[in-house]
Amino acid sequence: MAEIRISSAERDDAVAALAVHRSSGRLTHEVYEQRCRLAMFAATRSELEALFDDLPAPHPDLSAAVSPRPPPVPNPEWPGGRTRTRASRVMDVIGVLSLLVGLPVAIVLTAAAGAWWTFLVVVGVAVVAMVLGVALTTPRERAEPWAADAEDRD
């Protein structure tokens, strides 16, 4: 996996932290100048962290330079590897909620008013929502558009 690149702001933070170490006497002027040059030309997080290996805090805040989110792992239960989308999860929640809320309401309406047909509405909404939840899943190839770009660069 490639190294995570850093921004100009993170380079500036590193130079400021080096200045603190210079003012406290931990670095000589020559070492400070050398590390400042290395910090300004650093491209990755590890290059910048190496400048502070032998120094106590303060260190630059590199929390913004984190690895990107790993690609989604396809569920092996889905034929062909399909990935859940936000819309498919919402439809699943609607289907489950319609059963959890709708069935007790249908029982009360049937007992109180004889409206037995409310069971059909509740079950129909639940089935349609869950079928749409499955239909709105994304095939694995479309869920990872960056995979083809990575192969082209190699």
Side-chain angles (χ1 to χ4, degrees):
M1 177 173 256
E3 287 274 346
I4 302 301
R5 297 185 64 83
I6 56 173
S7 69
S8 295
E10 291 159 334
R11 288 184 196 93
D12 293 340
D13 287 346
V15 170
L18 288 170
V20 170
H21 291 296
R22 167 74 176 112
S23 65
S24 64
R26 290 189 189 99
L27 298 174
T28 65
H29 182 70
E30 293 80 23
V31 173
Y32 168 73
E33 289 295 325
Q34 177 188 18
R35 290 190 187 196
C36 283
R37 277 192 304 278
L38 291 172
M40 293 313 291
F41 290 110
T44 63
R45 183 178 182 168
S46 61
E47 290 174 7
L48 207 54
E49 287 173 339
L51 300 175
F52 293 89
D53 283 346
D54 61 341
L55 295 172
H59 290 185
D61 180 21
L62 299 176
S63 59
V66 295
S67 298
R69 184 177 2 159
V73 177
N75 187 345
E77 296 176 14
W78 291 97
R82 296 178 71 85
T83 305
R84 305 297 293 188
T85 62
R86 182 175 291 166
S88 69
R89 289 186 184 110
V90 167
M91 293 310 295
D92 287 344
V93 168
I94 290 172
V96 169
L97 285 177
S98 70
L99 289 175
L100 290 175
V101 174
L103 283 178
V105 169
I107 291 170
V108 170
L109 286 174
T110 300
W116 58 269
W117 53 268
T118 55
F119 282 106
L120 298 176
V121 173
V122 169
V123 172
V125 167
V127 168
V128 167
M130 290 185 184
V131 167
L132 283 174
V134 172
L136 291 172
T137 56
T138 311
R140 184 174 177 199
E141 294 75 33
R142 283 191 291 156
E144 298 175 336
W146 59 86
D149 295 340
E151 291 171 3
D152 293 340
R153 282 183 262 144
D154 289 341

